Amino acid sequence: MHVLLIRTYQLLLKGLARVLPFPRQHRLIGAGASQTLAAELSRRRWRRPLLVSDRQLMQLQLPAALIRDLDTAGLPCSVFDQVPENPTIACVEAGLQCYRRNGCDSLIALGGGSVMDCAKGIAARVGNPWFPLRWMEGLFRVIGPPPPLACLPTTAGSGSESTIAAVFSDPQRHCKFAIADLKLLPRITVIDPILMLGLPPAVTAASGMDALTHAVESYIGRNGSAWSRRKALSALRRIHAWLLQAHRHGRDETARLQMALAAHEAGAAFTRTNVGYAHAIAHALGSLYGLPHGLANAIVLPEVLRWSSPCCERQLAEMARAIELEGINSSNGSEQGLALAFIAWIEALKQDLGIPATVAELREEHIPQISRSALKEAHPDYPVPRLMTQTDCQALVSRLQDHSDSQRCAQPPLQ
């Protein structure tokens, strides 16, 4: 698509984002906040909620206390726990059947981004039974009103509890797609650090880097506003201060709460600005190799920032100043130096978190396909600071290859 058409379309979206009436959410925040949800739902006259979760959380009995609270409040819930790591069209349809079979009138999502996105997909299908999920791809195609949704995130990364979007995998086409509509914003969000105390370090690392990618791509994108930039910087400061602490000391309630708030703020920022090439490439890698989204974002982000930096040095420098990077004279340092220091900080953070710099599964023959998929997703919607061509994208993706001996034995992508 021609550069002028892409930028004109993005400018229209920027203007639209500033006048759209984003619904207000009711937020329950703090340790034990999940224990107050049943009373809130009863007050709102939700009668038969469908609890959407995944099997691992059910085995850990994390939803058990909420289910008991709902029963005590006279709100018997049905459970749908067949959500995979990357939600698919099939799992949304299975959830829809469970919702109908049990006569539900509302939804509760307890889990990570995949669970919350799946619940949004189910809600969209309930409100639009005549439209398949794939038809609703893109902006503002959820025509009928979905039933109300409450979200209880158990990871601090996706920020889905504060966004109007949901991402799904289409295994038949080997791609991911998103639906986005104001009607998908959850009515209630519960941010309870107690639900996150048992997260393994690897999940903490990947989800934290997911939140970081949201904040950074929102901030450097061309469609930001004063409000979104404040949210993104606030999230960035929390991540800088608390991610390593949450990773090393997983039962630290303060660190968990601060990271949950960071993910929430970053989600609120990017739902008004959209994301960038790191997400587009991460989605392509995830759909081909089954890579967890947060991990893929973490691997891709530094290379995308390095490529984009000629057109966003000022924003990168502002983020470096916001977190007061050690060894940097913020008042006298050049914007280029600060931008490079910010990218170096992200790479050092990844190393501290045990996140690899490359994708072990990535194979040379897949690079054109990955690049085409990423650019198809990004153009024209993502207001990136610098536009890529297919050649640019292939060169960037090739730098993510693992050239160690193990790469020669790489397995084919997951089908």
Side-chain angles (χ1 to χ4, degrees):
M1 187 178 291
H2 193 277
V3 172
L4 181 60
L5 290 177
I6 291 176
R7 291 309 194 192
T8 301
Y9 176 78
Q10 292 170 355
L11 191 61
L12 290 172
L13 289 182
K14 181 178 182 177
L16 187 62
R18 296 193 175 190
V19 299
L20 283 173
F22 279 84
R24 288 186 175 273
Q25 289 183 295
H26 184 73
R27 297 179 180 88
L28 305 170
I29 300 174
S34 57
Q35 299 172 14
T36 67
L37 179 61
E40 179 63 27
L41 300 190
S42 181
R43 186 181 72 81
R44 291 169 179 259
R45 302 183 187 279
W46 299 19
R47 292 291 175 249
R48 295 192 64 84
L50 175 67
L51 177 64
V52 181
S53 191
D54 62 43
R55 288 176 180 172
Q56 183 179 10
L57 292 177
M58 294 300 294
Q59 289 169 358
L60 293 172
Q61 297 189 331
L62 196 61
L66 175 61
I67 293 172
R68 287 195 300 270
D69 291 344
L70 292 170
D71 284 340
T72 301
L75 305 173
C77 72
S78 305
V79 176
F80 176 73
D81 62 1
Q82 300 171 39
V83 182
E85 189 165 357
N86 291 298
T88 62
I89 296 172
C91 85
V92 169
E93 292 303 307
L96 173 65
Q97 295 307 314
C98 185
Y99 184 99
R100 290 172 171 168
R101 188 167 57 248
N102 291 284
C104 298
D105 66 353
S106 51
L107 295 109
I108 302 170
L110 189 151
S114 295
V115 167
M116 291 185 282
D117 282 4
C118 182
K120 289 179 181 179
I122 295 169
R125 287 285 287 120
V126 169
N128 299 270
W130 48 88
F131 294 138
L133 191 66
R134 187 87 207 199
W135 185 91
M136 290 183 268
E137 178 181 3
L139 294 173
F140 311 124
R141 293 173 65 90
V142 180
I143 307 302
L149 167 65
C151 285
L152 297 88
T154 59
T155 61
S158 76
S160 185
E161 77 283 352
S162 61
T163 77
I164 64 170
V167 178
F168 305 96
S169 292
D170 186 342
Q172 291 184 336
R173 302 188 186 187
H174 303 292
C175 66
K176 290 190 175 184
F177 67 96
I179 64 174
D181 197 288
L182 295 176
K183 302 180 189 72
L184 296 179
L185 188 70
R187 302 277 183 89
I188 302 171
T189 287
V190 181
I191 299 178
D192 187 345
I194 302 299
L195 299 176
M196 305 177 190
L197 295 183
L199 279 181
V203 177
T204 300
S207 57
M209 290 300 295
D210 192 19
L212 175 65
T213 306
H214 293 154
V216 170
E217 292 206 306
S218 171
Y219 196 84
I220 68 173
R222 293 164 62 103
N223 283 7
S225 64
W227 185 91
S228 69
R229 288 190 287 271
R230 283 197 304 272
K231 288 290 183 182
L233 287 183
S234 178
L236 178 63
R237 291 188 185 101
R238 293 183 198 271
I239 293 165
H240 177 258
W242 294 102
L243 177 52
L244 285 175
Q245 176 70 7
H247 181 255
R248 294 167 180 167
H249 305 282
R251 306 213 50 95
D252 185 327
E253 287 185 20
T254 301
R256 291 298 189 189
L257 177 60
Q258 291 297 321
M259 283 304 302
L261 292 172
H264 188 74
E265 289 177 325
F270 91 77
T271 204
R272 286 160 173 81
T273 64
N274 221 322
V275 284
Y277 285 132
H279 271 76
I281 297 170
H283 285 153
L285 291 168
S287 64
L288 193 60
Y289 300 118
L291 220 60
H293 178 63
L295 177 63
N297 265 340
I299 295 171
V300 174
L301 181 61
E303 287 294 344
V304 168
L305 294 182
R306 193 172 286 110
W307 187 88
S308 304
S309 61
C311 296
C312 60
E313 278 183 355
R314 177 179 58 81
Q315 292 91 335
L316 294 172
E318 288 169 354
M319 288 188 285
R321 294 188 185 101
I323 59 176
E324 300 178 350
L325 285 179
E326 293 182 12
I328 294 294
N329 187 330
S330 297
S331 58
N332 297 324
S334 69
E335 286 190 344
Q336 182 182 43
L338 288 170
L340 292 173
F342 183 74
I343 297 170
W345 167 70
I346 293 175
E347 292 179 316
L349 177 61
K350 282 173 52 180
Q351 189 171 9
D352 289 341
L353 294 170
I355 292 173
T358 58
V359 179
E361 300 88 345
L362 181 57
R363 296 169 63 181
E364 185 74 30
E365 59 266 33
H366 297 145
I367 290 175
Q369 173 188 348
I370 291 166
S371 301
R372 283 193 298 271
S373 177
L375 295 183
K376 182 179 179 182
E377 175 182 329
H379 299 160
D381 291 342
Y382 294 175
V384 293
R386 184 184 181 194
L387 289 169
M388 281 186 190
T389 64
Q390 175 74 13
T391 302
D392 294 328
C393 196
Q394 286 185 200
L396 188 150
V397 174
S398 69
R399 292 195 288 275
L400 304 175
Q401 283 184 284
D402 180 358
H403 293 290
S404 66
D405 289 342
S406 62
Q407 174 63 9
R408 299 191 188 107
C409 302
Q411 298 297 313
L414 298 178
Q415 300 299 320

